[in-house]
Amino acid sequence: MPTTYAALRDRLLVCTSTDIDSQEWTTTTRLEGRTLECVAASPGAPKRIFVGTFEDGLFRARESADERGGVSFERLETDFVSDAVMSLAISPHDPDVIYAGTEPSRVYRSTDGGDSWTHLSGLIDLPSEDEWYFPPRPHTHHVRWLEVDPFDPDRLYVGVEAGAFILSTDGGETWQERPEGSRRDNHTLAVHPDRNGRVYSAAGDGYAESDDGGESWHQPQDGLEHTYCWGVVPDAGDPDSVILSSAGGASSAHTAGRAESYVYRRTGGDPWERLDDRGLPMGDGVVRAVFDATDEAGVVYGLNNRGLFVTEDFGGRWEPVDIDWDEGLETQAPRGLVVLDDL
C-alpha cells in the first residue's frame, strides 16, 4: 500500500492508502506555512523523510516516527551557505548517504542520515559559473536537481538553474560541466534502475537523454510542441518509455492564473504524443506536473494544481487519487512528489 509525500508551496501532504486496492486514503498536513522546495525519501529508510525549504533550511522526519501519516519533523542544524535548500537526493546504494543542493549553488553530502554534512567544494569554480543565473533572482542561481546513478554510487548528476548540467564521477570531489548536447536550464533529472548509463533531463530549453552516464546527450524533440519542460519520469518496466510535463514558458508553467501546461509520452523512437483526454487535467489553468513512479511497470503518480493522479498503463488512462485537496491548492505549483510502496 503506497504512501505519497506531496510537497506543495506552503505545506507537505502525507497521503496514505488504507486498503490493499489503494481506494481509500488518509491525508495529513505537515510543515504548513513553510516555503517548500523539495522532498526526498528512500525505500531503504522509508520513515526518514527530508524536506528542503527556501527560508527555513532542511527538515527531517526520523525513522522512528509513529504510524504512517503520523510523521513529525525536526529542523536540522546545518552550516549550509544559506537556508534555501532547493534539491535533495538519497543514494539508492545507501540510504544514509544524502545530497543537498542550495541557493546560491552549493552541494553538500551527509553519510550519517543527515546528522552531519560536508561541503563538496569546487562547483562554483567551474568556468561557466559567471554565466549562471536564475531569472527571477538574476543575482544568484541554485542547484535545482540532484540524482545519484543507480549503478555507480560515486556518479552524481547536478542540474543548476540556470546554467549547466554538471557531472561528478567521484562523489563530488571533482566536477565536469556542460558535456556535449546537455541542456543548460535543467529542472528535473531522472535515471533508470535497469539501464546503465541512461539519464533523462527535463529542462527549460527542452528535453534530452544520455546513454553514457551524462558524458554526451541527444535531444529528441519530434512531436514536442511545448519545450519548457519540468517533470520527467521513465517507465519502471521500459527505459525507452518516458512521460514529460511541459509548457510554452515559465509563466504558463508555474503561475496558475496564466497556466497552460501539458503532459507528453514517448515510447521507443516514436515522436512525442500529447496525452489529451486521458483523465489527467492539462491546458488552461493547469500548472506543470511533477511525477514519481513505483517499481511496478506502467505505474506513475502525477501531481499538479488539480490534485494527485495515478496511471497503471503508463499514461494511457489516469485516475484521480482520493486525497483531501483544499481549494486553495489550485493556485499552487507543486514542488515535489515521492511515492513509497508497501511501507
Side-chain angles (χ1 to χ4, degrees):
M1 294 183 289
T3 293
T4 69
Y5 298 91
L8 301 165
R9 191 60 176 170
D10 66 357
R11 71 197 73 178
L12 180 75
L13 300 184
V14 182
C15 310
T16 306
S17 174
T18 57
D19 72 343
I20 195 168
D21 295 321
S22 301
Q23 299 296 315
E24 300 290 335
W25 293 75
T26 62
T27 306
T28 57
T29 301
R30 295 291 182 267
L31 300 175
E32 196 164 7
R34 311 285 186 177
T35 306
L36 275 58
E37 290 290 346
C38 53
V39 59
S42 167
K47 292 185 180 179
R48 189 168 62 199
I49 316 303
F50 293 89
V51 175
T53 71
F54 187 71
E55 297 175 334
D56 297 304
L58 181 60
F59 288 80
R60 178 181 62 188
R62 285 195 175 275
E63 206 165 357
S64 59
D66 52 16
E67 75 272 5
R68 286 180 233 146
V71 295
S72 58
F73 284 85
E74 60 175 339
R75 185 180 186 275
L76 298 182
E77 295 297 327
T78 67
D79 58 356
F80 294 174
V81 67
S82 78
D83 286 329
V85 179
M86 310 297 288
S87 53
L88 292 162
I90 301 175
S91 173
H93 308 275
D94 182 349
D96 285 337
V97 177
I98 304 105
Y99 293 88
T102 61
E103 178 178 305
S105 297
R106 305 287 192 279
V107 176
Y108 299 85
R109 179 178 61 213
S110 174
T111 59
D112 55 12
D115 289 337
S116 62
W117 296 82
T118 300
H119 175 219
L120 303 179
S121 61
L123 192 77
I124 59 171
D125 297 326
L126 291 168
S128 71
E129 189 274 338
D130 61 356
E131 301 174 11
W132 304 352
Y133 76 100
F134 180 58
R137 298 183 291 278
H139 60 283
T140 190
H141 44 75
H142 51 247
V143 176
R144 170 54 68 192
W145 201 269
L146 293 161
E147 197 75 35
V148 180
D149 189 278
F151 291 86
D152 182 352
D154 292 326
R155 200 171 190 92
L156 178 65
Y157 307 118
V158 180
V160 170
E161 187 181 26
F165 169 83
I166 300 167
L167 165 68
S168 176
T169 60
D170 51 17
E173 298 302 316
T174 61
W175 307 97
Q176 307 170 35
E177 65 167 348
R178 293 184 170 182
E180 180 182 357
S182 63
R183 295 299 187 181
R184 296 289 186 264
D185 189 19
N186 298 274
H187 293 140
T188 303
L189 303 171
V191 293
H192 199 281
D194 296 327
R195 178 66 63 85
N196 193 354
R198 174 62 60 84
V199 190
Y200 313 83
S201 172
D205 48 336
Y207 174 80
E209 286 181 8
S210 174
D211 289 310
D212 55 10
E215 302 282 355
S216 64
W217 294 77
H218 58 284
Q219 303 174 352
Q221 301 291 107
D222 189 19
L224 192 61
E225 301 170 19
H226 302 82
T227 56
Y228 183 89
C229 304
W230 191 268
V232 63
V233 63
D235 185 353
D238 180 6
D240 294 323
S241 295
V242 188
I243 284 176
L244 180 73
S245 66
S246 60
S251 177
S252 57
H254 307 302
T255 307
R258 300 189 294 272
E260 184 185 348
S261 70
Y262 297 89
V263 174
Y264 291 80
R265 179 177 62 185
R266 182 173 183 264
T267 303
D270 293 339
W272 292 96
E273 61 172 330
R274 204 167 84 187
L275 299 182
D276 293 317
D277 302 320
R278 310 294 180 96
L280 182 66
M282 296 189 296
D284 289 346
V286 181
V287 302
R288 81 292 181 279
V290 296
F291 305 107
D292 197 23
T294 70
D295 58 4
E296 184 177 352
V299 178
V300 172
Y301 287 77
L303 179 69
N304 59 28
N305 61 324
R306 301 298 173 82
L308 180 65
F309 300 83
V310 63
T311 177
E312 297 182 351
D313 57 3
F314 205 65
R317 183 67 190 170
W318 299 79
E319 299 292 341
V321 178
D322 187 20
I323 64 172
D324 295 340
W325 192 257
D326 189 297
E327 184 176 322
L329 298 179
E330 294 190 4
T331 66
Q332 298 194 28
R335 311 308 296 174
L337 179 66
V338 171
V339 181
L340 295 180
D341 214 351
D342 295 323
L343 296 189

